[in-house]
Amino acid sequence: MNLVILGAQWGDEGKGKIVDLLSAEYEVVVRYQGGSNAGHTVMVNGQKFILHLLPTGILHTHTVGVIAQGMVVDLELLVEEIKQIESKGISVRDRLLISDRAHLVLPYHKTLDALLEKRGKIGTTLRGIGPAYMLKYARKGARVCDLWDKDRFYSIIKDNLEFVEELCKKVYCEDFQMKVDEVVDRALESFEEIKHCITDTSSYLLNTKKSILFEGAQGTLLDVDIGTYPYVTSSNSSALGLSAGTGLPPKFFSNAKFIGVSKAYATRVGEGPFPTELKDEVGQLLREKGKEYGATTGRPRRCGWLDLVALKHAVDLNGLDGIVLTKLDVLDGFGEIKVCTAYRVEDKVFKNFPASLSLLEKAQPVYECFEGWKESTYGITNYKDIPEKAMNYIQFIERFLGAPIVMLSTSPERDKYIWLSEIIHGRKVASSDIC
Ligand code: IMP
């Protein structure tokens, strides 16, 4: 049975570790949207790996890694990332497949990202992601397959650079100069390093008999269609992106299991509405205890209480079969823990996640309060060690969401987790045993 792992909040939920852990049981691991804006951190034997473009599951040497068509790929960074992992003794290029339909991120996309940020701040990662998707949908993008035909590639880049130059001059009153030959040569240099990995990945995925794990990047609330638009990323980072991003028919996923990853509290980086954000010392404490600094940009993350209105939105629209809850230990020692169950805007109460930015910006969280626990949950691996008060918190979340919490991740290390419920395959513990 195939498995889909998605971020259920604003990204940075700890998907890296979960994918790394679960991909031990899968043969193919796939990334299908976003690009180097992602930063999946994994600790293996005390060694820290941060993956931006490669599927995290590639750290297991038995897997085939796929970069599918919905991604936007910065080839220079990809080659760098591959070489870094290979330098640690893990082979990559002999088991990596890169879609010939994926779009490229090139230096001018990053220039444009910075310029767009000057005009209306989203707080992007400045990795050129938005502009790469922008030119893709404007039907001007350069794809991986174009690199096979140098003349064609050259003319796409020439056209792109003329377009960007004009945009910079006329809209932003900024000078822009980038040489076609330089952009082309740099891209071709990287292409030489990975060209034997390029293939029709949809066809591979459709025909393989191997078990597949699909790795979502970012999170549902950053999805361009169902997230906090316009403060989102430029791809479908929810389950909505699976079919287009992999090039597989929707019914391919009808038997897959869908798992969402959520922290026991909430964070977001960049701008945009965040109803449960704590701008006080409690938020500061969450940031320090949770080491909430971006893996890609190093920016401090905004922190707040768990928002169940937003999480329920993610459960419903992704069709989640279960949730993996991460970083519960960050809440250890808090006297009181709050969780948002509705939003109040003036005299109206909202139980559903609103589309309107005006509503989201005004939304005041309605909280349910829980007594905290004193015991440490850091690194525990036995469900009997979960404090009763922590279990009350977990069970409240499950009841509210109507979806089980299937696993707790209790530290960044690969082996520190607890299965709570059997939904993927072969897990021994049922949540009913725990009550
Ligand atoms: P972009 O994807 O770089 O265009 O950034 C758009 C928004 O998504 C910004 O608020 C970023 O901080 C956020 N974002 C993008 N990738 C990630 C991620 O992997 N984790 C968390 N936030 C992200």
Side-chain angles (χ1 to χ4, degrees):
M1 185 189 297
N2 296 333
L3 181 65
V4 181
I5 299 187
L6 298 159
Q9 298 172 300
W10 280 284
D12 308 320
E13 301 89 350
K15 293 180 294 294
K17 169 184 162 169
I18 306 308
V19 169
D20 171 59
L21 179 65
L22 297 182
S23 51
E25 297 173 44
Y26 289 82
E27 295 159 292
V28 183
V29 289
V30 183
R31 264 209 54 199
Y32 58 90
Q33 47 72 225
S36 64
N37 47 350
H40 296 152
T41 310
V42 183
M43 295 293 294
V44 184
N45 302 329
Q47 254 191 317
K48 188 172 176 176
F49 293 84
I50 302 180
L51 292 101
H52 297 285
L53 282 157
L54 290 167
T56 307
I58 202 129
L59 294 176
H60 289 278
T61 51
H62 69 276
T63 58
V64 172
V66 176
I67 289 181
Q69 66 180 32
M71 284 190 73
V72 287
V73 186
D74 183 330
L75 281 188
E76 277 182 30
L77 282 183
L78 178 64
V79 170
E80 208 177 290
E81 193 167 310
I82 290 171
K83 287 185 175 169
Q84 252 179 35
I85 295 179
E86 288 182 341
S87 73
K88 292 180 180 165
I90 301 175
S91 73
V92 173
R93 276 175 275 196
D94 54 344
R95 52 196 180 86
L96 177 67
L97 304 176
I98 303 170
S99 169
D100 48 5
R101 289 191 169 91
H103 279 245
L104 296 170
V105 175
L106 294 155
Y108 53 89
H109 294 119
K110 294 179 208 169
T111 311
L112 218 43
D113 207 351
L115 276 182
L116 287 166
E117 277 291 281
K118 268 196 193 169
R119 273 285 174 103
K121 202 163 160 52
I122 298 291
T124 75
T125 58
L126 300 176
R127 296 296 182 106
I129 307 301
Y133 281 113
M134 192 172 115
L135 291 184
K136 168 178 174 173
Y137 288 104
R139 290 151 298 176
K140 285 183 163 296
R143 295 183 297 162
V144 168
C145 57
D146 297 322
L147 288 159
W148 290 113
D149 179 344
K150 284 186 191 141
D151 293 340
R152 184 178 184 80
F153 186 64
Y154 188 94
S155 77
I156 294 173
I157 301 304
K158 185 167 176 292
D159 171 76
N160 273 208
L161 288 179
E162 282 165 7
F163 176 74
V164 175
E165 191 179 337
E166 211 169 322
L167 195 69
C168 287
K169 269 201 192 121
K170 295 199 172 145
V171 181
Y172 296 101
C173 303
E174 298 251 1
D175 265 347
F176 169 84
Q177 273 172 0
M178 217 174 258
K179 293 203 171 75
V180 186
D181 286 318
E182 242 169 62
V183 176
V184 169
D185 291 349
R186 274 170 68 177
L188 289 176
E189 205 178 301
S190 305
F191 169 69
E192 283 302 315
E193 299 268 0
I194 46 85
K195 65 182 183 194
H196 66 281
C197 304
I198 297 169
T199 189
D200 176 349
T201 54
S202 325
S203 169
Y204 170 78
L205 293 170
L206 204 51
N207 293 306
T208 185
K209 299 279 178 290
K210 295 181 171 172
S211 56
I212 311 175
L213 188 151
F214 297 91
E215 303 181 14
Q218 289 84 49
T220 304
L221 302 172
L222 289 173
D223 182 287
V224 67
D225 284 300
I226 60 169
T228 48
Y229 190 89
Y231 296 99
V232 290
T233 191
S234 301
S235 65
N236 281 115
S237 47
S238 70
L240 301 183
L242 267 171
S243 185
T246 55
L248 292 167
K251 71 178 171 193
F252 186 90
F253 301 95
S254 53
N255 294 320
K257 284 281 180 212
F258 287 73
I259 298 292
V261 184
S262 169
K263 282 179 191 162
Y265 52 98
T267 64
R268 98 169 276 178
V269 262
E271 307 297 312
F274 181 5
T276 62
E277 181 173 13
L278 296 166
K279 293 184 175 164
D280 56 8
E281 64 282 3
V282 182
Q284 184 65 26
L285 187 60
L286 286 171
R287 184 173 310 111
E288 293 315 316
K289 282 188 79 180
K291 301 188 178 66
E292 297 294 355
Y293 296 89
T296 301
T297 58
R299 289 179 290 177
R301 296 179 185 139
R302 299 154 67 192
C303 298
W305 297 119
L306 185 63
D307 182 343
L308 289 183
V309 180
L311 194 52
K312 176 94 176 112
H313 180 67
V315 168
D316 292 347
L317 297 191
N318 288 314
L320 295 183
D321 297 297
I323 301 270
V324 173
L325 198 68
T326 61
K327 294 185 124 176
L328 184 70
D329 59 281
V330 174
L331 300 180
D332 295 350
F334 274 74
E336 185 184 53
I337 292 162
K338 294 184 184 176
V339 54
C340 169
T341 55
Y343 300 146
R344 192 185 304 281
V345 180
E346 286 146 17
D347 56 349
K348 285 207 180 81
V349 172
F350 291 82
K351 298 209 164 190
N352 291 327
F353 196 72
S356 154
L357 198 63
S358 320
L359 285 178
L360 275 171
E361 279 172 349
K362 283 191 225 138
Q364 293 300 316
V366 176
Y367 283 122
E368 189 85 21
C369 298
F370 290 81
E371 211 182 309
W373 53 92
K374 302 238 165 354
E375 304 89 329
S376 168
T377 60
Y378 185 79
I380 59 172
T381 52
N382 188 334
Y383 69 84
K384 293 195 174 106
D385 293 330
I386 303 170
E388 196 186 330
K389 285 175 184 154
M391 195 48 97
N392 291 341
Y393 183 63
I394 292 168
Q395 288 174 342
F396 179 84
I397 298 169
E398 287 188 320
R399 279 197 301 276
F400 188 97
L401 298 177
I405 291 179
V406 292
M407 182 199 274
L408 288 185
S409 159
T410 60
S411 101
E413 288 291 334
R414 206 182 234 178
D415 58 344
K416 297 292 187 280
Y417 61 90
I418 304 170
W419 279 107
L420 296 181
S421 180
E422 206 284 36
I423 74 151
I424 302 177
H425 45 75
R427 314 289 170 214
K428 292 185 195 80
V429 184
S431 48
S432 53
D433 298 337
I434 303 165
C435 312

